[in-house]
Amino acid sequence: MHRKLFAIASLLLFPTLLIAQNPAPAGQAPGGQAPGGFGRGRGGPALPANQPAPRDDNRHKGFVEIAQRANIDLLFVGDSITDWFANPRGGQPATGLAVWDTNFGPFKPADFGIAGDATQGVLWRMQNGELEGFKAKLIVLMLGTNNINRNPNDEIVDGDRLIIEEFNKRQPQAKVLLLGIFPRNADPANPLRATIKEINSKLAKLADNNKVFYMDIGDKFLTADGTLTTEIMADGLHPTAKGYQIWADAIIDKVKMLMK
């Protein structure tokens, strides 16, 4: 009985501790549930990061329709960080749209990012129609930030590995450019930074430099002392237009090379 009263008092007095330990997924408010039921919030424990989670919603159906038009040479896949590179947000143009059009527009691109998604949802989407109907030259994947503190690091890496397997199986002609998870939080001492560094060191090992290539461009978003400024990511997670320009500048040469 005393333990229950103490637990309730702790929740009332220190609710911010829960948010700090379980940061909100990209594109989602703190404490919410990620689409597909795989986030840890009101919906309970997280589904393993290497298991597909259905999200048969209108965003997914729309991407399947785009895929069936057979007009994609360059595909970006991910969560809200990718989503808001080219796709409308709340009825407004994407944050990075001008950068997207200038840098990637000539390559018949498509943006299959969905805000709030994680490895579980992307794995299911890739298994259920979003890779059918076209033949890409290059697929760019940056994914995993929404799994952090919800799934073990090794499991997150395995989720990305399985997604890359789907690329290789369903788009065998395509090369894959895997990007390290972007830095989060303004403070370089924030524990999220160390977690991301560990995950990225393991993601790098998924590259074979034949079909799958890896780049970690995270440092390009940071100042010399490791600070992530609001000018680059206004909320410490999502790029501003300037942040999207940094992203494009960092990979455009590699994209051109891999699409030849």
Side-chain angles (χ1 to χ4, degrees):
M1 184 66 174
H2 291 299
R3 288 181 180 176
K4 281 187 177 180
L5 290 173
F6 177 77
I8 293 169
S10 297
L11 288 172
L12 292 173
L13 290 171
F14 306 110
T16 54
L17 289 177
L18 295 178
I19 294 173
Q21 292 168 6
N22 296 290
Q28 178 190 321
Q33 168 116 4
F38 45 76
R40 181 168 61 195
R42 298 188 188 94
L47 187 73
N50 52 9
Q51 290 188 19
R55 61 164 307 146
D56 196 13
D57 56 16
N58 287 335
R59 293 297 308 281
H60 163 66
K61 291 173 183 176
F63 291 158
V64 172
E65 290 177 4
I66 292 170
Q68 291 299 320
R69 294 173 195 160
N71 194 36
I72 301 171
D73 284 347
L74 173 61
L75 177 65
F76 280 64
V77 176
D79 50 41
S80 60
I81 299 170
T82 297
D83 192 2
W84 297 340
F85 210 150
N87 297 322
R89 177 184 178 188
Q92 299 298 316
T95 305
L97 183 59
V99 176
W100 175 273
D101 286 344
T102 299
N103 290 271
F104 305 119
F107 300 107
K108 294 184 181 178
D111 182 341
F112 286 3
I114 295 182
D117 218 345
T119 56
Q120 299 95 326
V122 172
L123 179 58
W124 185 89
R125 292 197 281 125
M126 298 305 107
Q127 293 172 340
N128 287 273
E130 292 189 22
L131 294 176
E132 309 300 329
F134 64 98
K135 291 186 177 181
K137 294 180 180 179
L138 178 64
I139 303 174
V140 180
L141 176 68
M142 200 284 289
L143 183 69
T145 201
N146 288 341
N147 295 94
I148 293 174
N149 285 359
R150 293 170 171 79
N151 298 108
N153 291 351
D154 286 348
E155 202 174 85
I156 296 170
V157 174
D158 199 46
D160 273 2
R161 180 189 65 80
L162 291 172
I163 291 166
I164 292 170
E165 282 192 2
E166 293 298 325
F167 295 159
N168 290 335
K169 179 168 63 176
R170 299 171 191 273
Q171 293 279 332
Q173 77 293 332
K175 292 178 180 175
V176 177
L177 178 57
L178 173 64
L179 301 180
I181 297 172
F182 292 170
R184 292 177 62 163
N185 198 280
D187 183 3
N190 187 283
L192 283 171
R193 295 288 193 90
T195 299
I196 290 170
K197 184 176 181 180
E198 179 186 337
I199 293 171
N200 285 349
S201 69
K202 295 176 179 181
L203 287 176
K205 297 176 183 177
L206 299 180
D208 60 12
N209 295 318
N210 179 35
K211 289 289 296 293
V212 181
F213 300 81
Y214 176 80
M215 290 182 72
D216 184 352
I217 65 172
D219 286 349
K220 296 185 181 298
F221 297 105
L222 306 174
T223 62
D225 67 357
T227 301
L228 181 60
T229 67
T230 55
E231 184 182 15
I232 305 303
M233 294 187 187
D235 59 357
L237 176 62
H238 298 95
T240 59
K242 186 170 182 178
Y244 280 113
Q245 187 65 65
I246 291 171
W247 183 355
D249 289 344
I251 70 168
I252 188 63
D253 289 341
K254 191 75 169 179
V255 167
K256 289 178 179 178
M257 182 186 75
L258 293 177
M259 290 190 69
K260 287 181 180 177

